[in-house]
Amino acid sequence: MQRTSLADTQCPIARSLDRVGEWWSMLILRDALTGLTRFDQFEKSLGIAPNMLTRRLSALVDAGLLERRRYSERPPRDEYVLTERGRDFQPVLWAMVAWGNRHFAPEGESLVLVDRLTGARAEPVLVDRVSGREMTQAEFRGAPGPAAGDRLRRRYTAADPDPGVTP
């Protein structure tokens, strides 16, 4: 079954999912953010079939999250290096770590985030860069941006939607 592309929709959530929504893609990015760059490293870490890994790596390169760099001519071998766009995905994965630990780890946390300098436990939160306030559903909501079309504008134009209904 052919998957429908969300790349041309106006919704930034849908556009993002079009690039990284397939779960192998997120796991490849997770591993790349820990320093893996080579096909065999990803294959061993993930236990993924080579044909699937090839497709996922190509899709991440096409989406601009990874850059393919040749490191050997004979035999021809490439490594996959994070781009700025790929590195910018790190906070999304950190948020998923916190969310997964909170909701899907009845046995306890298998991965925690820590401060590189102190080793102290970190708890990720989303903070508005302008006000410095934590972004909660009670105090922030989605609103149409300058490029919003009619459909997106209708979805996000409610005067003050119920917190928890609109992302």
Side-chain angles (χ1 to χ4, degrees):
M1 184 166 119
Q2 183 69 22
R3 196 182 81 147
T4 301
S5 174
L6 302 172
D8 294 329
T9 66
Q10 281 202 320
C11 176
I13 295 169
R15 286 180 180 174
S16 299
L17 285 171
D18 193 68
R19 275 62 172 203
V20 299
E22 202 277 333
W23 59 283
W24 283 121
S25 297
M26 288 196 199
L27 295 175
I28 290 167
L29 289 171
R30 174 203 65 190
D31 283 357
L33 284 159
T34 64
L36 301 188
T37 60
R38 297 190 177 177
F39 189 94
D40 60 322
Q41 292 173 322
F42 290 117
E43 187 178 24
K44 183 178 179 183
S45 173
L46 299 169
I48 184 174
N51 62 332
M52 177 61 76
L53 180 56
T54 298
R55 284 197 301 271
R56 291 293 93 220
L57 287 169
S58 292
L60 290 167
V61 168
D62 291 345
L65 291 139
L66 295 175
E67 177 184 338
R68 184 180 289 118
R69 291 187 192 159
R70 180 69 36 111
Y71 70 86
S72 172
E73 291 299 330
R74 289 201 172 126
R77 297 279 188 263
D78 297 320
E79 64 180 354
Y80 298 87
V81 180
L82 287 161
T83 62
E84 180 179 0
R85 186 179 290 182
R87 289 186 301 275
D88 282 351
F89 196 69
Q90 179 73 77
V92 176
L93 291 177
W94 283 341
M96 290 184 76
V97 167
W99 184 68
N101 278 341
R102 181 173 177 188
H103 297 288
F104 305 112
E107 73 285 355
E109 301 164 331
S110 59
L111 174 67
V112 296
L113 302 171
V114 298
D115 185 303
R116 283 185 189 272
L117 296 175
T118 66
R121 176 87 184 262
E123 293 287 334
V125 295
L126 187 60
V127 174
D128 173 40
R129 187 182 308 268
V130 175
S131 69
R133 294 178 14 235
E134 181 178 350
M135 295 184 69
T136 65
Q137 289 179 328
E139 296 191 30
F140 291 85
R141 68 178 181 87
D150 290 340
R151 185 174 181 185
L152 194 83
R153 199 167 290 287
R154 281 192 304 275
R155 182 179 296 140
Y156 288 97
T157 300
D160 192 10
D162 180 16
V165 175
T166 304

